[in-house]
Amino acid sequence: YWAVEKAFVNRQSGMMVEVDGRVVRILTINQDDLNHQNFVIRMLNGQAVLVSHNISAAGQIPISINDEVTVRGEYQWTEPGGAIHWTHRDFSFQRRHGWVEHQGKKYD
């Protein structure tokens, strides 16, 4: 989580990160963007980060509040704490693959 913490403090975006966290909020799927499952995790350092997971590319995750997840994706700075997206395979091979691991299963 230290890479995300450092990126947040320095207002940096665009780096691949891998973090563990507990799901603290599940957002409803936005009717304007049916391709993304959005949820908030709280990392061990207390920072909350939005995860925007593309369900068209990697499938929907059956998450619940308090579930533990590990997320790899691209960090984007935002004032509330940041967001992690690109949590799926990149078939153009322009970046490292992302994924979300939940209860022993990887969604990528």
Side-chain angles (χ1 to χ4, degrees):
Y1 65 85
W2 61 269
V4 171
E5 184 175 41
K6 182 177 177 184
F8 177 71
V9 169
N10 294 324
R11 296 181 175 221
Q12 295 176 311
S13 295
M15 72 277 303
M16 290 297 284
V17 297
E18 185 174 322
V19 298
D20 296 314
R22 182 177 303 275
V23 177
V24 294
R25 185 171 178 208
I26 300 170
L27 290 85
T28 57
I29 294 178
N30 183 335
Q31 291 303 309
D32 296 331
D33 183 9
L34 297 173
N35 294 327
H36 287 85
Q37 179 181 18
N38 297 304
F39 54 95
V40 178
I41 63 171
R42 187 162 311 279
M43 299 182 302
L44 295 175
N45 68 348
Q47 182 178 347
V49 178
L50 172 70
V51 177
S52 186
H53 177 70
N54 187 321
I55 58 178
S56 294
Q60 190 162 351
I61 306 164
I63 57 170
S64 298
I65 298 294
N66 291 322
D67 283 359
E68 297 281 340
V69 294
T70 301
V71 178
R72 183 192 323 176
E74 185 177 282
Y75 179 77
Q76 179 72 40
W77 182 89
T78 65
E79 223 170 276
I84 300 174
H85 60 115
W86 289 98
T87 59
H88 56 84
R89 291 189 181 274
D90 179 19
F91 295 103
S92 69
F93 301 103
Q94 294 179 353
R95 63 178 46 84
R96 288 178 53 202
H97 293 308
W99 42 260
V100 176
E101 185 172 346
H102 174 257
Q103 297 180 343
K105 182 176 178 183
K106 272 192 182 168
Y107 295 82
D108 64 354

